[in-house]
Amino acid sequence: MKTITAIYEQGVLRLTQPVELPEGTEVQVVIITNTNEANAPKGNAASILAAIAALPEETVDEA
């Protein structure tokens, strides 16, 4: 697994660096947006951790 940064422009993800993959290789993409200070959680560490703990749990179906 390798992490690559991309920029979303006009409906297309543009990689910020080249990757070495054979032509036609299928890949999976996980979108994690970078947050800036305006979107960062507010409060002290305890309140931020409490907010995280209150989030619903995600389950992954294992095949």
Side-chain angles (χ1 to χ4, degrees):
M1 186 163 105
K2 185 174 186 173
T3 301
I4 302 292
T5 301
I7 298 173
Y8 183 73
E9 296 176 328
Q10 299 178 3
V12 176
L13 289 172
R14 180 180 55 81
L15 302 180
T16 58
Q17 62 191 44
V19 294
E20 292 185 28
L21 293 171
E23 195 68 28
T25 299
E26 184 174 312
V27 299
Q28 293 183 354
V29 177
V30 176
I31 306 293
I32 302 172
T33 59
N34 292 333
T35 59
N36 58 32
E37 285 188 33
N39 295 329
K42 305 287 188 266
N44 61 27
S47 64
I48 294 169
L49 289 173
I52 293 170
L55 293 173
E57 291 186 29
E58 272 188 40
T59 58
V60 177
D61 293 332
E62 294 184 16

